[in-house]
Every structure is written in structure tokens, then in C-alpha cells.
Amino acid sequence: MQSSEDNDGGSTPQPLSPPPDIDSLCILRRQDPEFASSEGAAFDTVIAVFSSLASDIETALEQHVVGTVKAKCKNYSKEKWHGMVLEKPPLLPDVTSSGSDLLLTLGRQLDFIAGHVSQAVVPSLCEHIGDRIDQILVSDVILNNHFSEGGASRLSYDVTKLLLPLLSQFCDDVASMQLLERTREALNLLQLLPGSARLLQEQLEGVVGAGLGRAVDSEAFAVAVAALNDIGVHSLTPHQAGHILRLRITS
């Protein structure tokens, strides 16, 4: 009589070896320090490589977006902020061509990041981008121009009604509240009523003048900081605030 193996035309396949028991691995790690250290070192190396690669990619994306925004701000900064007229009653302003170009380009780049980067990373990456844009707007646009009431109103509209909502889409709620903080504070100073602006500038004189070689009076500095805090200015220094107030053009 033939065996079942002959009837099947071959030998019965041997079962696969069971996977290593987790408890056995734990015992091996305790008994053999070299095994534990080599296993940990291998994984640590892989994790370190991937972490470094991810960090490099995030930095490259941030630098690309920020570089593009800085380039677009060259034309945006050249708008005639000093000659814009404040409409009465206020009308919904048209977006300038340079402002539209800036917003559309930034929107496309942020959409690309959101579609190709882990959602766990997008909020923090866009928060960093927002902070860099904040610096560019203050240094390249605001501090390089003079502003009429109409110019300050137009810039405020662009920032608070267009740019800020765009960035907020990609950040968490807490970070969204702090986006473009220095820019918004500068706009606050540019849009003060003339009497309030003159009074504030007088309070800042002692501190701003100290930058010309005179020692800073601690009491005057405290008064200046308190005056700025009263109108919602917390990130700008008294010296920066005084500079921005001098950029106002009043009729």
C-alpha cells in the first residue's frame, strides 16, 4: 500500500518556523548586553537619519516659500502707500496687482505643502513660515515706506482680511492668534488717531532719544512700555514703535 505522501506525488511541506518569542528576545537582551546595544544602535541610527532628512526637507520648504515671499514683497513695497486716499464712507478696497500676486503665489505654495507633507508637520511648518513673513512685512514693507491714512488702511486690509486668513487655514487655533503679531502691532500704530499718536510719541521720546547716545531712563522706559501695552503693542520695542510713528503722514 502506498503512503499518502506517494498518493500526493510528493512530500508534505514542512511547517514554517514560528517567529521569535517576544519574551525570549527580552531575555536575550538582558543576558547579552552586546545584542541589546547593537539592536538599539541600529534602530537609533535609522531614526536619526530619517529625523535629519525630515528636518532638512522642512527647512528647504520653508526657505523656498520665504524666499518667494521676499521676492514678491519687492514690488509690494513699491506701492504708493504715501499717496493712497482714505475713502469716506469706507469702501471695500481692490487688491493691488502686487498684493494679488503675493497672495496667489503664497496660497499655491501652502496648498502644495498641505498636500505633500504629513498633516502632523504642516501646522508648525506654516507657523514658522508665518513668523518669517511677519519679519519681512515689517522690515521690507513698513519700515521702508511712509503711510497716509489711506495707505495704512489698505495695508491693514491686505494683512488682516486676506493674508492672515490665508495663513490661518494651515495653522492650529492657538498659533493663528499669534500670526503676524509684529505687523499687526505696526498697523495699530499707523492707524492711531493723530492726537493719540502725538501723545504716544511724546511718551516715547525719552526712550527713542536714548538710542542717539543718551542713557536710557528706567522710569521713562517703563512708562513707554506701559503706554504701548495699553494700545495692544507688546512685541515691538519702544524704539521700533517710535520709528513706525514717524512713518505716518497726516493731513
Side-chain angles (χ1 to χ4, degrees):
M1 180 181 295
Q2 290 183 330
S3 67
S4 60
E5 291 181 355
D6 293 336
N7 291 335
D8 293 337
S11 60
T12 303
Q14 296 299 315
L16 296 174
S17 300
D21 182 74
I22 297 299
D23 292 335
S24 299
L25 287 174
C26 292
I27 293 172
L28 182 58
R29 291 189 186 104
R30 288 196 297 268
Q31 292 179 344
D32 188 349
E34 290 186 3
F35 174 80
S37 62
S38 63
E39 184 187 39
F43 279 106
D44 289 346
T45 300
V46 172
I47 291 172
V49 169
F50 275 102
S51 296
S52 177
L53 179 60
S55 177
D56 289 345
I57 292 173
E58 289 177 37
T59 300
L61 286 171
E62 178 182 334
Q63 295 290 3
H64 177 71
V65 175
V66 170
T68 302
V69 170
K70 191 171 182 65
K72 297 294 182 183
C73 274
K74 288 182 180 179
N75 286 333
Y76 191 56
S77 179
K78 294 176 183 176
E79 294 289 345
K80 296 180 179 179
W81 304 106
H82 62 280
M84 295 182 182
V85 178
L86 182 64
E87 299 288 346
K88 296 181 180 181
L91 301 175
L92 188 64
D94 295 327
V95 182
T96 61
S97 59
S98 61
S100 177
D101 186 29
L102 169 61
L103 291 165
L104 288 173
T105 302
L106 177 60
R108 284 195 297 267
Q109 292 185 335
L110 294 178
D111 281 336
F112 177 85
I113 290 174
H116 292 81
V117 176
S118 168
Q119 292 304 303
V121 175
V122 170
S124 62
L125 178 56
C126 291
E127 182 182 350
H128 291 155
I129 290 172
D131 188 58
R132 297 283 297 280
I133 292 174
D134 191 21
Q135 296 173 21
I136 292 170
L137 287 174
V138 173
S139 63
D140 294 12
V141 178
I142 294 177
L143 294 180
N144 278 338
N145 283 284
H146 287 81
F147 293 85
S148 63
E149 289 182 272
S153 177
R154 168 63 68 86
L155 182 59
S156 179
Y157 177 84
D158 287 355
V159 170
T160 61
K161 302 300 184 183
L162 301 175
L163 179 57
L164 193 57
L166 173 61
L167 289 169
S168 297
Q169 295 179 51
F170 303 93
C171 299
D172 58 41
D173 292 340
V174 175
S176 294
M177 296 175 63
Q178 299 174 338
L179 284 170
L180 308 179
E181 188 171 18
R182 288 175 289 264
T183 301
R184 289 186 285 116
E185 290 183 0
L187 289 170
N188 199 0
L189 293 169
L190 291 174
Q191 293 183 287
L192 284 175
L193 293 174
S196 299
R198 283 194 296 271
L199 178 60
L200 179 60
Q201 195 148 19
E202 289 174 3
Q203 293 175 306
L204 296 176
E205 279 302 323
V207 177
V208 175
L212 302 176
R214 300 198 301 270
V216 178
D217 182 88
S218 58
E219 184 176 349
F221 185 84
V223 170
V225 170
L228 291 173
N229 290 345
D230 285 344
I231 61 170
V233 176
H234 303 280
S235 299
L236 298 173
T237 66
H239 184 80
Q240 291 171 326
H243 187 173
I244 291 169
L245 285 172
R246 292 196 298 273
L247 300 175
R248 294 163 48 97
I249 299 175
T250 56
S251 55

